[in-house]
């Protein structure tokens, strides 16, 4: 997931500089990846039911790896959009199926730590892409795509025989729709929208919007990945000691602050602020998933079928927030030609999630 969803942003400035695509086309390619994520979230359980979780997970890891190699030549926009869509769909299937396949084997008192460890892998993929891409770009764009595909194939092979032989939960048993649970779905979608400015535009904003160059942009993507590696286990640790609800609320406010500061500060020379924003927002890409998964299990404590159905809906609303936010913000950038309004919108979405959680988070 870390490679399939997050290796594209550090490549994006090079695609523009090398003339493969315009800046607006490159932004829409990022949005196509998130649209695929929505499709994959909707279809994941059906795919697992028709095959098995193990087969679906293996197949989508292969598909994510192949999607890199398929983009190794400067082919038309439609070809790239299709493969970015498929990569997003594969990532969503992995997100929907991987945690529910593994988490039933974890004791309840270790859910925070286990969830953090699972989603630390996303951060490792982000950090790897931010480290690998600047090096391989000196060889060429084609070589960069192939190197990422090869790395994804190695990871696929390493985990091939490690998945448990679990049956797919149908996810058709609808969870009890308490106000807290319905609010959690909406909050997760708003959290996704708030992450879009960093997930899609962060590197190109630093490299071109602030005129810092690809090397500096990639450095901040490495910081983004470091945050994503450290964040899930840290958040899980605190959630096990307090509650997922308390840490989730703090998370909404932290994200709103570290996105909003980009929109309201003369940021070009504030490298410390940029670095902190990279680390904090990188952490919350997997942390928000860790916290929402744990909160879902608090709200639905004893029924794996309901938990699977609830996790499917949270992933769908998250992907709606990602895809809708990506296309809306891509249009806003094309219209305004300015990155700062994107961060203002993202911060507003996170603050609204916090307000909703205060109003409904405890209502059962």
């Amino acid at each position: 997931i870390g490679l399939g969803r997050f290796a594209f942003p550090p490549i994006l400035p090079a695609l523009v500089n090398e003339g493969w695509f315009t800046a607006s086309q490159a932004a829409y390619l990022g949005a196509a990846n998130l649209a695929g994520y929505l499709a994959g979230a909707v279809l994941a359980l059906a795919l697992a039911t028709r095959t098995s979780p193990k087969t679906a997970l293996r197949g989508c890891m292969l598909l994510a790896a192949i999607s890199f190699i398929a983009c190794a030549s400067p082919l038309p926009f439609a070809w790239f959009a299709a493969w970015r869509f498929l990569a997003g769909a594969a990532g969503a299937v992995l997100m929907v199926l991987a945690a529910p396949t593994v988490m039933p084997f974890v004791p309840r008192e270790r859910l925070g730590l286990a969830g953090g460890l699972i989603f630390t892998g996303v951060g490792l993929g982000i950090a790897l892409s931010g480290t690998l891409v600047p090096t391989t770009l000196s060889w060429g764009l084609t070589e960069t795509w192939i190197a990422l595909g090869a790395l994804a194939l190695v990871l696929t092979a390493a985990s091939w025989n490690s998945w448990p032989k679990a049956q797919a939960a149908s996810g058709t048993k609808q969870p009890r729709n308490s106000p807290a649970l319905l609010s959690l779905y909406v909050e997760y979608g708003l959290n996704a929208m708030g992450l879009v400015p960093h997930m899609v535009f962060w590197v190109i904003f630093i490299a071109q919007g602030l005129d810092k160059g690809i090397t500096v942009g990639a450095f901040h993507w490495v910081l983004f990945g470091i945050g994503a590696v450290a964040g899930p286990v840290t958040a899980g640790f605190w959630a096990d000691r307090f509650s997922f609800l308390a840490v989730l609320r703090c998370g909404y406010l932290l994200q709103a602050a570290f996105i909003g500061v980009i929109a309201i500060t003369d940021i070009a020379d504030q490298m410390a602020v940029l670095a902190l924003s990279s680390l904090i927002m990188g952490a919350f890409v997997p942390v928000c998933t860790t916290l929402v998964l744990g909160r879902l299990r608090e709200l639905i404590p004893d029924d794996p079928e309901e938990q699977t159905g609830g996790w499917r809906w949270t992933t769908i609303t998250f992907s709606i927030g990602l895809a809708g936010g990506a296309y809306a913000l891509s249009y806003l950038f094309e219209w305004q030609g300015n990155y700062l309004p994107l961060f203002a919108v993202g911060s507003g979405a996170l603050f609204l999630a916090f307000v909703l959680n205060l109003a409904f988070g405890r209502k059962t």
Side-chain angles (χ1 to χ4, degrees):
I1 296 172
L3 291 174
R5 281 176 54 193
F6 298 104
F8 185 68
I11 298 176
L12 196 151
L15 289 175
V16 176
N17 289 344
E18 296 294 324
W20 285 30
F21 300 105
T22 66
S24 61
Q25 284 178 321
Y28 280 115
L29 287 175
N33 182 256
L34 301 181
Y37 193 78
L38 172 58
V42 172
L43 298 173
L45 284 175
L47 178 62
T49 301
R50 288 180 178 273
T51 57
S52 71
K54 178 185 285 190
T55 300
L57 288 163
R58 286 173 168 177
C60 286
M61 292 177 79
L62 277 175
L63 179 61
I66 292 168
S67 72
F68 288 116
I69 298 169
C71 293
S73 297
L75 295 168
F77 175 84
W79 173 268
F80 266 73
W83 280 104
R84 295 310 300 153
F85 181 92
L86 289 172
V93 172
L94 296 175
M95 182 64 79
V96 171
L97 297 181
T101 298
V102 174
M103 292 297 267
F105 299 92
V106 177
R108 182 173 295 178
E109 66 273 13
R110 306 300 296 277
L111 287 176
L113 178 60
L117 288 170
I118 290 170
F119 295 111
T120 292
V122 177
L124 290 171
I126 297 171
L128 280 170
S129 67
T131 305
L132 184 65
V133 167
T135 300
T136 55
L137 281 175
S138 65
W139 307 339
L141 267 174
T142 295
E143 290 78 5
T144 296
W145 286 110
I146 292 173
L148 289 168
L151 177 58
L153 285 172
V154 169
L155 293 171
T156 300
S159 63
W160 192 260
N161 293 319
S162 299
W163 296 106
K165 295 180 180 179
Q167 294 297 315
S170 69
T172 56
K173 185 176 181 180
Q174 292 301 313
R176 292 154 287 186
N177 286 325
S178 66
L181 188 58
L182 292 173
S183 177
L184 187 67
Y185 296 157
V186 177
E187 292 163 32
Y188 200 33
L190 289 167
N191 202 148
M193 183 176 293
L195 290 170
V196 167
H198 278 75
M199 286 174 58
V200 177
F201 298 97
W202 189 235
V203 176
I204 197 168
F205 164 65
I206 293 172
Q208 295 185 352
L210 299 181
D211 199 28
K212 300 295 184 181
I214 292 176
T215 301
V216 175
F219 167 75
H220 281 276
W221 197 246
V222 173
L223 292 180
F224 192 87
I226 291 171
V229 171
V233 173
T234 304
F237 173 87
W238 291 111
D240 283 337
R241 277 150 183 77
F242 296 99
S243 70
F244 283 95
L245 177 62
V247 180
L248 187 63
R249 287 178 175 175
C250 291
Y252 291 147
L253 284 179
L254 276 173
Q255 290 176 87
F258 279 95
I259 299 170
V261 71
I262 305 300
I264 64 176
T265 305
D266 184 9
I267 203 70
D269 296 319
Q270 303 294 325
M271 297 305 292
V273 176
L274 286 174
L276 278 174
S277 189
S278 297
L279 285 166
I280 297 297
M281 294 311 301
F284 273 100
V285 167
V287 160
C288 71
T289 302
T290 303
L291 295 178
V292 168
L293 177 62
R295 180 58 180 155
L296 182 73
R297 291 175 71 88
E298 286 181 345
L299 293 171
I300 312 172
D302 300 315
D303 192 325
E305 282 286 329
E306 283 194 25
Q307 289 171 358
T308 301
W311 183 237
R312 174 174 176 267
W313 280 111
T314 54
T315 304
I316 288 172
T317 58
F318 187 80
S319 58
I320 290 172
L322 282 179
Y327 278 104
L329 294 183
S330 295
Y331 175 78
L332 180 61
F333 171 70
E334 189 175 27
W335 174 39
Q336 293 285 319
N338 188 343
Y339 292 99
L340 297 185
L342 313 185
F343 295 96
V345 172
S347 181
L350 265 302
F351 187 75
L352 180 56
F354 173 74
V355 171
L356 283 174
N357 191 275
L358 282 182
F360 301 106
R362 291 188 180 274
K363 294 184 178 181
T364 59

